[in-house]
Amino acid sequence: MATRPFDVDGSPFFVAEGIFAAEIVAECRRRGLLAGAYALRRPRGATFLRRLARDLAEQRKAPRVLLRRGLTLLRAEPAVLRRQTGLGAEAARAGEVLRGVAALLAGHPRRS
């Protein structure tokens, strides 16, 4: 895995997103930088359909390949979420994440 430094001096927050964002939770917590860590919990069927529609529209690969890949990702999603929460992220729906971030920006960290 590649690494590269980044500077957050002068910034009240930074956002790390994506499948590998949970990888930095423990280190951010150790350094006192962690305000919140979330792993999006979405309905798997809806995610599958959105991903398939996007990939078909972009003609990324043959439809059969996209369908097979989508089903594989659909089945793997619970394990991905377990791994992310195991690394310290909180499983939450998008609305919960948005409210939590809004509270942080307003200076009122949400309480669990």
Side-chain angles (χ1 to χ4, degrees):
M1 180 183 311
T3 62
R4 69 178 157 187
F6 67 95
D7 185 5
V8 295
D9 288 342
S11 299
F13 299 102
F14 72 93
V15 174
E17 66 85 22
I19 191 85
F20 298 111
E23 302 287 337
I24 65 171
V25 168
E27 183 63 18
C28 288
R29 181 175 284 125
R30 186 184 75 73
R31 293 182 183 210
L33 298 173
L34 189 68
Y38 306 99
L40 281 182
R41 185 180 62 223
R42 293 183 165 170
R44 292 188 314 152
T47 300
F48 167 78
L49 291 173
R50 275 195 302 272
R51 182 184 294 127
L52 183 60
R54 178 201 65 202
D55 291 348
L56 287 170
E58 294 177 5
Q59 299 178 350
R60 292 178 173 221
K61 292 184 173 44
R64 179 177 287 181
V65 172
L66 294 174
L67 185 60
R68 188 173 53 235
R69 176 181 172 270
L71 289 171
T72 299
L73 292 171
L74 175 77
R75 286 186 212 102
E77 194 168 321
V80 170
L81 187 60
R82 277 193 306 276
R83 183 171 189 285
Q84 290 173 331
T85 57
L87 289 169
E90 173 189 345
R93 299 216 180 267
E96 295 171 301
V97 172
L98 291 173
R99 286 188 295 279
V101 171
L104 287 169
L105 290 171
H108 306 287
R110 81 181 177 93
R111 303 283 179 209
S112 300

